[in-house]
Amino acid sequence: MTMDEESAATGSGPFDPEVAREPRPFYARMRQEGISRFHFGEHEAVFLTRYEDVHFALRHPEIFSSAMDAVSIGQKRPLIPLQIDPPEHAKYRRILDPQFSPGRVAAMDADARKLVNEIVDRFVDDGECNFHTAFAVPLPCTLFLRIMGLPLEHLDRFLAWKDGIIRPDVPFGDLEAAERVRNETGEAIYAYFEEAIAQREHEPDDGLLTSIMHAEVEGRRMSTEEVLDTCYLFLLGGLDTVTATLDCSIAYLARHPDQRRRLVEDPSSIAGAVEELLRYETPVTGVPRIVTQDVEMHGVQLRAGDHVTVVLGAADTDSTEFPDADSVDFDRQANRHFAFGGGPHRCLGSHLARFELQVALEEWHRRIPDYRVKDGVELDYSPGIREVAHLPLVFEAS
Ligand code: HEM
């Protein structure tokens, strides 16, 4: 029986809560099967899971395209730069990359540390918190608003918008309702940024939004539509991903006290821990692609128009690339994981993301070295982007 037949018979599958909680055994079986085809009602998707296949797909956008029809997330036009294929894609990365360079990011160090401590101050004396809502959500969202130069009092609407797109509040499997919510949310996001752009035409500031508005693509300023299509992606790409990675990392460390103690006693091991937890947890489990031409892979015929999920999490736990792949080793050498994707669309915000994670783990463990998941709680991870929305921790502050 293929995994697809089995999932049709048992009702389980890639989006099963049990799989989201502990995806690694499922990944292992998918890798064994090679290229899997899954059916979801009328929809069908091919899953690529082996390290070498994932690597190939990410590096060959001319076959595995991330163009607009790969995924519908309330957008009216292709998101920039994610849904633009090379060679067009490079002209946008050329102007956006410098905005997220390691130097730009490092300049935020003092400000970010202060923010982390202010957030911790809000709950540290309570001896408990829901890590997700108290810390993992507000940190990246607040930093994002500051970087963009947008008012902090708009935080709540940004949170509602990203949830409206990424996990619309509709009955499970109601794809039509989900699409409706995404489109309505998309309208609101476009309208907000349109106004913010118009305002900055008259009153430029030193935020990222103004910078992008004045960036030149091939000797001309980006059009309002291009700026909108970039901002839309930042909102979706830069918030949930960091939140989910913080959730996954702290949920792991809360349940592995020896590994956690090492971070507390030797903060220089935090950089390795950030990288290894990105690999082991791979919070963005997969990325969508659409096949542009008929192609055969390992004897499996893929057809133009096939929807493909490139399962980053399965590649990141493939022992052909990572020795002892199911163990967490903060000293792992040559950790070439795909948690940030790969190829031309590799994450634009990876320096910013690593910086946020590093500062968060350093300051958190300095303030709250000893913590655990509240007794009796079983953690649920959302599928797709692995958030842990209910992550109750108990602790004594240092
Ligand atoms: C730990 C946090 C993050 C993770 C795990 C992550 C993951 C990813 C992944 C897997 C991709 C590839 C998508 C694909 O190939 O289809 C990607 C692309 C992207 N990410 Fe991130 N991301 C994170 C943080 C951020 C942040 C903070 C930003 C800031 C704006 C950001 C902006 C982007 C953009 C703009 C792209 C598209 C790049 C392109 O198409 O050239 N990400 N990210």
Side-chain angles (χ1 to χ4, degrees), residues 58 66 79-84 89 93 96-97 100 140 144 208 230 233-246 278 282-284 286-289 312 338-350 352-354 356-357:
L58 293 174
S66 59
L79 300 178
I80 295 175
L82 184 65
Q83 297 183 324
I84 308 284
H89 168 263
R93 284 294 293 242
L96 294 173
D97 279 338
F100 290 90
F144 174 78
L208 178 59
T230 308
L233 177 60
F234 284 177
L235 169 60
L236 296 183
L239 305 185
D240 235 50
T241 49
V242 182
T243 297
T245 308
L246 285 168
L278 275 164
T282 307
V284 177
V287 293
R289 294 291 187 265
L312 307 173
F338 290 130
F340 290 119
H345 291 288
R346 191 178 176 285
C347 181
L348 171 71
S350 66
L352 174 61
R354 282 196 172 108
E356 289 186 45
L357 296 166

Tab-separated table of all heavy atoms in Angstrom, residues 58 66 79-84 89 93 96-97 100 140 144 208 230 233-246 278 282-284 286-289 312 338-350 352-354 356-357, ligand 1:
chain	number	residue	atom	x	y	z
A	58	LEU	N	15.000	22.794	-5.631
A	58	LEU	CA	15.217	24.184	-5.211
A	58	LEU	C	16.161	24.911	-6.177
A	58	LEU	O	16.060	26.120	-6.362
A	58	LEU	CB	15.796	24.228	-3.794
A	58	LEU	CG	14.859	23.758	-2.676
A	58	LEU	CD1	15.608	23.701	-1.337
A	58	LEU	CD2	13.637	24.668	-2.538
A	66	SER	N	8.199	28.660	-8.588
A	66	SER	CA	7.399	29.146	-7.459
A	66	SER	C	6.487	30.284	-7.926
A	66	SER	O	6.077	31.124	-7.135
A	66	SER	CB	8.305	29.606	-6.314
A	66	SER	OG	9.144	30.637	-6.767
A	79	LEU	N	3.962	37.667	-5.727
A	79	LEU	CA	4.695	38.290	-4.632
A	79	LEU	C	6.157	38.451	-5.038
A	79	LEU	O	6.718	37.581	-5.693
A	79	LEU	CB	4.590	37.416	-3.372
A	79	LEU	CG	3.158	37.197	-2.873
A	79	LEU	CD1	3.144	36.280	-1.662
A	79	LEU	CD2	2.506	38.534	-2.529
A	80	ILE	N	6.734	39.557	-4.606
A	80	ILE	CA	8.132	39.861	-4.963
A	80	ILE	C	9.010	39.619	-3.743
A	80	ILE	O	8.690	40.128	-2.660
A	80	ILE	CB	8.259	41.335	-5.425
A	80	ILE	CG1	7.464	41.531	-6.732
A	80	ILE	CG2	9.714	41.742	-5.617
A	80	ILE	CD1	7.412	42.978	-7.209
A	81	PRO	N	10.100	38.849	-3.866
A	81	PRO	CA	10.627	38.198	-5.068
A	81	PRO	C	10.224	36.727	-5.187
A	81	PRO	O	10.614	36.066	-6.140
A	81	PRO	CB	12.147	38.288	-4.856
A	81	PRO	CG	12.329	38.230	-3.372
A	81	PRO	CD	11.089	38.843	-2.752
A	82	LEU	N	9.417	36.222	-4.239
A	82	LEU	CA	9.177	34.777	-4.159
A	82	LEU	C	8.513	34.184	-5.402
A	82	LEU	O	8.811	33.081	-5.813
A	82	LEU	CB	8.313	34.479	-2.914
A	82	LEU	CG	8.058	33.015	-2.627
A	82	LEU	CD1	9.363	32.306	-2.284
A	82	LEU	CD2	7.072	32.847	-1.488
A	83	GLN	N	7.574	34.926	-5.982
A	83	GLN	CA	6.813	34.335	-7.086
A	83	GLN	C	7.272	34.849	-8.463
A	83	GLN	O	6.521	34.806	-9.431
A	83	GLN	CB	5.318	34.560	-6.843
A	83	GLN	CG	4.901	33.829	-5.562
A	83	GLN	CD	3.431	33.907	-5.244
A	83	GLN	OE1	2.791	34.929	-5.491
A	83	GLN	NE2	2.887	32.836	-4.691
A	84	ILE	N	8.489	35.356	-8.464
A	84	ILE	CA	9.109	35.776	-9.731
A	84	ILE	C	10.246	34.791	-10.002
A	84	ILE	O	11.122	34.622	-9.146
A	84	ILE	CB	9.721	37.195	-9.600
A	84	ILE	CG1	8.701	38.194	-9.035
A	84	ILE	CG2	10.319	37.656	-10.927
A	84	ILE	CD1	7.657	38.670	-9.992
A	89	HIS	N	13.947	37.538	-11.254
A	89	HIS	CA	14.045	37.505	-9.803
A	89	HIS	C	15.277	38.260	-9.279
A	89	HIS	O	15.205	38.984	-8.287
A	89	HIS	CB	14.062	36.019	-9.397
A	89	HIS	CG	14.422	35.740	-7.998
A	89	HIS	ND1	15.695	35.382	-7.609
A	89	HIS	CD2	13.689	35.764	-6.858
A	89	HIS	CE1	15.718	35.189	-6.305
A	89	HIS	NE2	14.515	35.407	-5.836
A	93	ARG	N	16.271	40.882	-5.930
A	93	ARG	CA	17.171	40.480	-4.843
A	93	ARG	C	18.342	41.465	-4.750
A	93	ARG	O	18.822	41.764	-3.659
A	93	ARG	CB	17.694	39.050	-5.055
A	93	ARG	CG	16.685	37.964	-4.742
A	93	ARG	CD	16.291	37.892	-3.282
A	93	ARG	NE	17.318	37.490	-2.381
A	93	ARG	CZ	17.297	36.402	-1.615
A	93	ARG	NH1	16.253	35.596	-1.662
A	93	ARG	NH2	18.262	36.141	-0.781
A	96	LEU	N	17.074	44.220	-2.639
A	96	LEU	CA	16.553	43.863	-1.308
A	96	LEU	C	17.637	43.267	-0.408
A	96	LEU	O	17.646	43.505	0.809
A	96	LEU	CB	15.382	42.879	-1.447
A	96	LEU	CG	14.143	43.446	-2.127
A	96	LEU	CD1	13.096	42.356	-2.365
A	96	LEU	CD2	13.521	44.571	-1.289
A	97	ASP	N	18.559	42.494	-0.972
A	97	ASP	CA	19.587	41.838	-0.145
A	97	ASP	C	20.329	42.829	0.766
A	97	ASP	O	20.493	42.549	1.956
A	97	ASP	CB	20.581	41.048	-1.015
A	97	ASP	CG	20.013	39.679	-1.417
A	97	ASP	OD1	19.113	39.180	-0.725
A	97	ASP	OD2	20.461	39.120	-2.434
A	100	PHE	N	18.913	43.599	4.141
A	100	PHE	CA	18.895	42.548	5.173
A	100	PHE	C	20.292	41.967	5.378
A	100	PHE	O	20.431	40.806	5.747
A	100	PHE	CB	17.914	41.437	4.755
A	100	PHE	CG	16.479	41.868	4.800
A	100	PHE	CD1	15.873	42.430	3.692
A	100	PHE	CD2	15.739	41.728	5.965
A	100	PHE	CE1	14.544	42.850	3.732
A	100	PHE	CE2	14.411	42.143	6.017
A	100	PHE	CZ	13.814	42.697	4.899
A	140	PRO	N	9.024	39.007	17.101
A	140	PRO	CA	9.275	39.304	15.679
A	140	PRO	C	8.334	40.355	15.108
A	140	PRO	O	8.733	41.134	14.236
A	140	PRO	CB	9.066	37.967	14.963
A	140	PRO	CG	8.458	37.042	15.940
A	140	PRO	CD	8.676	37.581	17.305
A	144	PHE	N	9.528	43.784	13.425
A	144	PHE	CA	9.141	44.015	12.029
A	144	PHE	C	8.564	45.437	11.866
A	144	PHE	O	8.942	46.180	10.957
A	144	PHE	CB	8.109	42.965	11.605
A	144	PHE	CG	7.528	43.178	10.239
A	144	PHE	CD1	8.245	42.832	9.106
A	144	PHE	CD2	6.262	43.730	10.077
A	144	PHE	CE1	7.713	43.024	7.833
A	144	PHE	CE2	5.717	43.933	8.812
A	144	PHE	CZ	6.448	43.576	7.691
A	208	LEU	N	12.292	50.904	6.589
A	208	LEU	CA	12.536	50.059	5.412
A	208	LEU	C	11.530	50.337	4.291
A	208	LEU	O	11.872	50.290	3.108
A	208	LEU	CB	12.476	48.578	5.843
A	208	LEU	CG	12.666	47.534	4.758
A	208	LEU	CD1	14.007	47.691	4.055
A	208	LEU	CD2	12.567	46.129	5.349
A	230	THR	N	5.987	43.464	-2.503
A	230	THR	CA	7.129	43.126	-1.649
A	230	THR	C	6.697	43.150	-0.178
A	230	THR	O	7.005	42.232	0.590
A	230	THR	CB	8.265	44.160	-1.883
A	230	THR	OG1	8.524	44.242	-3.283
A	230	THR	CG2	9.525	43.770	-1.156
A	233	LEU	N	4.682	40.181	0.990
A	233	LEU	CA	5.496	38.991	1.265
A	233	LEU	C	6.250	39.129	2.588
A	233	LEU	O	6.351	38.166	3.348
A	233	LEU	CB	6.485	38.757	0.111
A	233	LEU	CG	7.446	37.591	0.311
A	233	LEU	CD1	6.676	36.272	0.477
A	233	LEU	CD2	8.416	37.471	-0.858
A	234	PHE	N	6.767	40.320	2.869
A	234	PHE	CA	7.489	40.507	4.146
A	234	PHE	C	6.581	40.148	5.315
A	234	PHE	O	6.993	39.500	6.260
A	234	PHE	CB	7.931	41.961	4.312
A	234	PHE	CG	9.120	42.340	3.484
A	234	PHE	CD1	9.585	43.642	3.485
A	234	PHE	CD2	9.785	41.401	2.709
A	234	PHE	CE1	10.692	44.000	2.731
A	234	PHE	CE2	10.892	41.749	1.942
A	234	PHE	CZ	11.341	43.071	1.962
A	235	LEU	N	5.342	40.626	5.222
A	235	LEU	CA	4.391	40.386	6.324
A	235	LEU	C	4.177	38.879	6.507
A	235	LEU	O	4.138	38.382	7.634
A	235	LEU	CB	3.070	41.105	5.990
A	235	LEU	CG	1.854	40.813	6.847
A	235	LEU	CD1	2.110	41.185	8.293
A	235	LEU	CD2	0.650	41.596	6.341
A	236	LEU	N	4.080	38.154	5.396
A	236	LEU	CA	3.832	36.716	5.509
A	236	LEU	C	5.095	35.925	5.798
A	236	LEU	O	5.064	34.913	6.482
A	236	LEU	CB	3.199	36.188	4.208
A	236	LEU	CG	1.830	36.774	3.910
A	236	LEU	CD1	1.259	36.139	2.667
A	236	LEU	CD2	0.883	36.557	5.082
A	237	GLY	N	6.234	36.417	5.279
A	237	GLY	CA	7.472	35.635	5.394
A	237	GLY	C	8.242	35.893	6.674
A	237	GLY	O	9.001	35.050	7.122
A	238	GLY	N	8.045	37.063	7.269
A	238	GLY	CA	8.951	37.465	8.335
A	238	GLY	C	8.424	37.328	9.753
A	238	GLY	O	9.182	37.535	10.702
A	239	LEU	N	7.141	36.986	9.909
A	239	LEU	CA	6.574	36.984	11.262
A	239	LEU	C	6.349	35.571	11.776
A	239	LEU	O	6.951	35.142	12.756
A	239	LEU	CB	5.252	37.762	11.287
A	239	LEU	CG	5.299	39.201	10.761
A	239	LEU	CD1	3.971	39.893	10.959
A	239	LEU	CD2	6.395	39.993	11.447
A	240	ASP	N	5.473	34.836	11.113
A	240	ASP	CA	5.127	33.485	11.554
A	240	ASP	C	6.328	32.561	11.627
A	240	ASP	O	6.427	31.702	12.501
A	240	ASP	CB	4.149	32.885	10.534
A	240	ASP	CG	2.887	32.416	11.204
A	240	ASP	OD1	2.317	33.212	11.960
A	240	ASP	OD2	2.501	31.258	10.992
A	241	THR	N	7.249	32.744	10.689
A	241	THR	CA	8.406	31.849	10.601
A	241	THR	C	9.276	31.960	11.853
A	241	THR	O	9.697	30.948	12.406
A	241	THR	CB	9.233	32.229	9.362
A	241	THR	OG1	9.438	33.637	9.387
A	241	THR	CG2	8.541	31.853	8.079
A	242	VAL	N	9.520	33.183	12.285
A	242	VAL	CA	10.369	33.364	13.479
A	242	VAL	C	9.597	32.884	14.715
A	242	VAL	O	10.151	32.210	15.591
A	242	VAL	CB	10.801	34.842	13.633
A	242	VAL	CG1	11.710	34.999	14.853
A	242	VAL	CG2	11.514	35.340	12.391
A	243	THR	N	8.313	33.206	14.774
A	243	THR	CA	7.482	32.747	15.899
A	243	THR	C	7.537	31.222	16.012
A	243	THR	O	7.782	30.668	17.085
A	243	THR	CB	6.013	33.195	15.688
A	243	THR	OG1	5.985	34.614	15.692
A	243	THR	CG2	5.086	32.661	16.763
A	244	ALA	N	7.333	30.548	14.879
A	244	ALA	CA	7.315	29.080	14.894
A	244	ALA	C	8.678	28.524	15.298
A	244	ALA	O	8.761	27.539	16.041
A	244	ALA	CB	6.914	28.554	13.518
A	245	THR	N	9.747	29.154	14.822
A	245	THR	CA	11.090	28.649	15.166
A	245	THR	C	11.364	28.845	16.657
A	245	THR	O	11.943	27.970	17.314
A	245	THR	CB	12.160	29.352	14.305
A	245	THR	OG1	11.779	29.249	12.935
A	245	THR	CG2	13.523	28.708	14.498
A	246	LEU	N	10.927	29.968	17.201
A	246	LEU	CA	11.087	30.172	18.654
A	246	LEU	C	10.289	29.119	19.419
A	246	LEU	O	10.780	28.521	20.379
A	246	LEU	CB	10.618	31.583	19.044
A	246	LEU	CG	11.564	32.730	18.682
A	246	LEU	CD1	10.853	34.079	18.851
A	246	LEU	CD2	12.831	32.695	19.535
A	278	LEU	N	17.065	24.615	13.971
A	278	LEU	CA	16.443	24.923	12.671
A	278	LEU	C	16.416	23.663	11.808
A	278	LEU	O	15.429	23.349	11.158
A	278	LEU	CB	17.233	26.019	11.946
A	278	LEU	CG	16.889	27.460	12.301
A	278	LEU	CD1	17.986	28.412	11.820
A	278	LEU	CD2	15.549	27.889	11.690
A	282	THR	N	12.958	22.062	11.539
A	282	THR	CA	12.542	22.668	10.258
A	282	THR	C	11.110	23.211	10.356
A	282	THR	O	10.156	22.613	9.829
A	282	THR	CB	12.701	21.690	9.067
A	282	THR	OG1	14.055	21.195	9.084
A	282	THR	CG2	12.497	22.381	7.734
A	283	PRO	N	10.954	24.365	11.013
A	283	PRO	CA	9.589	24.884	11.273
A	283	PRO	C	8.777	25.177	10.007
A	283	PRO	O	7.561	25.018	10.022
A	283	PRO	CB	9.854	26.160	12.070
A	283	PRO	CG	11.206	25.943	12.681
A	283	PRO	CD	11.995	25.158	11.676
A	284	VAL	N	9.438	25.621	8.931
A	284	VAL	CA	8.717	25.728	7.648
A	284	VAL	C	8.947	24.381	6.965
A	284	VAL	O	9.982	24.132	6.362
A	284	VAL	CB	9.262	26.889	6.784
A	284	VAL	CG1	8.563	26.943	5.436
A	284	VAL	CG2	9.114	28.216	7.523
A	286	GLY	N	7.727	22.723	4.409
A	286	GLY	CA	7.844	22.504	2.965
A	286	GLY	C	7.498	23.764	2.202
A	286	GLY	O	6.918	24.707	2.760
A	287	VAL	N	7.896	23.806	0.924
A	287	VAL	CA	7.560	24.956	0.080
A	287	VAL	C	6.890	24.458	-1.199
A	287	VAL	O	7.214	23.379	-1.689
A	287	VAL	CB	8.812	25.814	-0.244
A	287	VAL	CG1	9.338	26.486	1.010
A	287	VAL	CG2	9.919	24.998	-0.899
A	288	PRO	N	5.926	25.255	-1.722
A	288	PRO	CA	5.177	24.802	-2.902
A	288	PRO	C	5.874	25.160	-4.203
A	288	PRO	O	6.503	26.208	-4.308
A	288	PRO	CB	3.871	25.596	-2.767
A	288	PRO	CG	4.242	26.834	-2.023
A	288	PRO	CD	5.450	26.516	-1.185
A	289	ARG	N	5.729	24.284	-5.166
A	289	ARG	CA	6.247	24.554	-6.507
A	289	ARG	C	5.246	24.022	-7.522
A	289	ARG	O	4.416	23.171	-7.205
A	289	ARG	CB	7.589	23.841	-6.730
A	289	ARG	CG	8.739	24.352	-5.870
A	289	ARG	CD	9.160	25.768	-6.282
A	289	ARG	NE	10.348	26.245	-5.608
A	289	ARG	CZ	10.349	26.987	-4.501
A	289	ARG	NH1	9.224	27.322	-3.899
A	289	ARG	NH2	11.490	27.424	-3.996
A	312	LEU	N	11.066	20.267	3.001
A	312	LEU	CA	12.369	20.658	3.550
A	312	LEU	C	12.695	19.847	4.803
A	312	LEU	O	13.833	19.443	5.023
A	312	LEU	CB	12.348	22.155	3.896
A	312	LEU	CG	11.914	23.101	2.771
A	312	LEU	CD1	11.769	24.533	3.296
A	312	LEU	CD2	12.911	23.069	1.615
A	338	PHE	N	18.092	22.916	4.955
A	338	PHE	CA	17.230	23.699	4.063
A	338	PHE	C	16.121	24.440	4.834
A	338	PHE	O	15.072	24.741	4.268
A	338	PHE	CB	16.573	22.791	3.021
A	338	PHE	CG	17.526	22.236	1.998
A	338	PHE	CD1	17.558	20.884	1.714
A	338	PHE	CD2	18.381	23.082	1.302
A	338	PHE	CE1	18.413	20.369	0.765
A	338	PHE	CE2	19.247	22.581	0.344
A	338	PHE	CZ	19.273	21.217	0.072
A	339	ALA	N	16.338	24.688	6.119
A	339	ALA	CA	15.281	25.371	6.876
A	339	ALA	C	14.952	26.740	6.269
A	339	ALA	O	13.836	27.242	6.409
A	339	ALA	CB	15.695	25.524	8.341
A	340	PHE	N	15.931	27.344	5.608
A	340	PHE	CA	15.692	28.624	4.914
A	340	PHE	C	15.510	28.411	3.406
A	340	PHE	O	15.648	29.349	2.618
A	340	PHE	CB	16.866	29.577	5.140
A	340	PHE	CG	16.973	30.099	6.554
A	340	PHE	CD1	18.099	29.835	7.322
A	340	PHE	CD2	15.956	30.860	7.127
A	340	PHE	CE1	18.216	30.320	8.622
A	340	PHE	CE2	16.063	31.347	8.428
A	340	PHE	CZ	17.189	31.075	9.178
A	341	GLY	N	15.198	27.195	2.991
A	341	GLY	CA	15.074	26.911	1.570
A	341	GLY	C	16.458	26.798	0.945
A	341	GLY	O	17.452	26.531	1.646
A	342	GLY	N	16.543	27.008	-0.361
A	342	GLY	CA	17.820	26.899	-1.064
A	342	GLY	C	17.647	27.404	-2.480
A	342	GLY	O	16.536	27.710	-2.909
A	343	GLY	N	18.771	27.521	-3.197
A	343	GLY	CA	18.696	28.015	-4.572
A	343	GLY	C	18.367	29.497	-4.591
A	343	GLY	O	18.501	30.193	-3.582
A	344	PRO	N	17.878	30.021	-5.710
A	344	PRO	CA	17.686	31.478	-5.835
A	344	PRO	C	16.689	32.061	-4.830
A	344	PRO	O	16.815	33.216	-4.441
A	344	PRO	CB	17.168	31.653	-7.266
A	344	PRO	CG	16.802	30.288	-7.748
A	344	PRO	CD	17.582	29.306	-6.961
A	345	HIS	N	15.704	31.270	-4.411
A	345	HIS	CA	14.683	31.812	-3.494
A	345	HIS	C	15.039	31.608	-2.022
A	345	HIS	O	14.191	31.791	-1.150
A	345	HIS	CB	13.314	31.194	-3.787
A	345	HIS	CG	12.750	31.635	-5.096
A	345	HIS	ND1	12.277	32.912	-5.310
A	345	HIS	CD2	12.628	30.986	-6.283
A	345	HIS	CE1	11.864	33.020	-6.562
A	345	HIS	NE2	12.072	31.867	-7.175
A	346	ARG	N	16.290	31.212	-1.753
A	346	ARG	CA	16.688	31.024	-0.352
A	346	ARG	C	16.342	32.291	0.436
A	346	ARG	O	16.455	33.414	-0.058
A	346	ARG	CB	18.186	30.753	-0.265
A	346	ARG	CG	18.591	30.284	1.106
A	346	ARG	CD	20.073	29.963	1.176
A	346	ARG	NE	20.404	29.615	2.542
A	346	ARG	CZ	20.518	30.498	3.516
A	346	ARG	NH1	20.361	31.791	3.258
A	346	ARG	NH2	20.774	30.102	4.744
A	347	CYS	N	15.898	32.082	1.664
A	347	CYS	CA	15.319	33.156	2.486
A	347	CYS	C	16.110	34.466	2.453
A	347	CYS	O	17.292	34.504	2.812
A	347	CYS	CB	15.218	32.650	3.921
A	347	CYS	SG	14.493	33.866	5.024
A	348	LEU	N	15.412	35.526	2.090
A	348	LEU	CA	16.004	36.861	2.085
A	348	LEU	C	16.301	37.327	3.511
A	348	LEU	O	17.216	38.104	3.751
A	348	LEU	CB	15.007	37.823	1.430
A	348	LEU	CG	15.290	39.308	1.494
A	348	LEU	CD1	16.454	39.673	0.590
A	348	LEU	CD2	14.061	40.100	1.059
A	349	GLY	N	15.490	36.865	4.464
A	349	GLY	CA	15.602	37.365	5.843
A	349	GLY	C	16.404	36.448	6.756
A	349	GLY	O	16.304	36.574	7.980
A	350	SER	N	17.239	35.572	6.190
A	350	SER	CA	17.894	34.571	7.055
A	350	SER	C	18.849	35.213	8.070
A	350	SER	O	18.948	34.745	9.202
A	350	SER	CB	18.607	33.503	6.222
A	350	SER	OG	19.673	34.071	5.512
A	352	LEU	N	18.533	38.192	9.413
A	352	LEU	CA	17.666	38.794	10.433
A	352	LEU	C	17.081	37.713	11.340
A	352	LEU	O	17.055	37.855	12.564
A	352	LEU	CB	16.543	39.587	9.744
A	352	LEU	CG	15.461	40.153	10.652
A	352	LEU	CD1	16.056	41.133	11.670
A	352	LEU	CD2	14.375	40.874	9.829
A	353	ALA	N	16.638	36.620	10.733
A	353	ALA	CA	16.026	35.537	11.508
A	353	ALA	C	17.029	34.949	12.493
A	353	ALA	O	16.749	34.800	13.688
A	353	ALA	CB	15.520	34.451	10.566
A	354	ARG	N	18.234	34.644	12.011
A	354	ARG	CA	19.264	34.061	12.888
A	354	ARG	C	19.584	35.018	14.028
A	354	ARG	O	19.749	34.605	15.176
A	354	ARG	CB	20.546	33.830	12.096
A	354	ARG	CG	20.482	32.608	11.236
A	354	ARG	CD	21.899	32.234	10.801
A	354	ARG	NE	21.882	30.969	10.125
A	354	ARG	CZ	22.063	30.817	8.797
A	354	ARG	NH1	22.255	31.862	8.032
A	354	ARG	NH2	22.043	29.614	8.260
A	356	GLU	N	17.615	37.347	15.328
A	356	GLU	CA	16.506	37.386	16.302
A	356	GLU	C	16.545	36.154	17.202
A	356	GLU	O	16.340	36.241	18.414
A	356	GLU	CB	15.153	37.429	15.573
A	356	GLU	CG	14.883	38.744	14.880
A	356	GLU	CD	13.463	38.810	14.283
A	356	GLU	OE1	12.505	38.422	14.964
A	356	GLU	OE2	13.328	39.246	13.129
A	357	LEU	N	16.803	34.999	16.597
A	357	LEU	CA	16.807	33.751	17.373
A	357	LEU	C	17.969	33.755	18.368
A	357	LEU	O	17.805	33.382	19.538
A	357	LEU	CB	16.923	32.543	16.431
A	357	LEU	CG	15.740	32.366	15.468
A	357	LEU	CD1	16.082	31.373	14.363
A	357	LEU	CD2	14.491	31.912	16.226
B	1	HEM	C1	13.396	31.448	11.233
B	1	HEM	C2	12.736	32.250	10.429
B	1	HEM	C3	12.559	32.034	8.952
B	1	HEM	C4	12.439	30.863	8.266
B	1	HEM	C5	12.484	29.442	8.835
B	1	HEM	C6	12.254	31.211	6.870
B	1	HEM	C7	12.109	30.287	5.847
B	1	HEM	C8	12.079	30.617	4.505
B	1	HEM	C9	12.023	29.653	3.438
B	1	HEM	C10	11.969	28.151	3.615
B	1	HEM	C11	12.037	30.340	2.258
B	1	HEM	C12	12.034	29.761	0.853
B	1	HEM	C13	10.650	29.824	0.239
B	1	HEM	C14	10.583	29.099	-1.085
B	1	HEM	O1	11.615	28.703	-1.646
B	1	HEM	O2	9.452	28.896	-1.595
B	1	HEM	C15	12.061	31.757	2.603
B	1	HEM	C16	12.041	32.786	1.669
B	1	HEM	C17	11.892	34.102	2.017
B	1	HEM	N1	11.927	34.645	3.284
B	1	HEM	FE1	12.219	33.631	4.993
B	1	HEM	N2	12.241	32.579	6.747
B	1	HEM	C18	12.429	33.119	7.989
B	1	HEM	C19	12.486	34.461	8.303
B	1	HEM	C20	12.324	35.499	7.414
B	1	HEM	C21	12.349	36.890	7.758
B	1	HEM	C22	12.581	37.452	9.161
B	1	HEM	C23	12.098	37.588	6.628
B	1	HEM	C24	12.034	39.096	6.556
B	1	HEM	C25	11.337	39.791	5.766
B	1	HEM	C26	11.945	36.622	5.541
B	1	HEM	C27	11.683	36.917	4.219
B	1	HEM	C28	11.726	35.999	3.188
B	1	HEM	C29	11.570	36.372	1.782
B	1	HEM	C30	11.313	37.775	1.234
B	1	HEM	C31	11.678	35.183	1.044
B	1	HEM	C32	11.586	35.019	-0.463
B	1	HEM	C33	12.978	35.083	-1.064
B	1	HEM	C34	13.006	34.933	-2.574
B	1	HEM	O3	12.042	34.447	-3.162
B	1	HEM	O4	14.012	35.305	-3.166
B	1	HEM	N3	12.089	35.364	6.078
B	1	HEM	N4	12.091	31.891	3.968
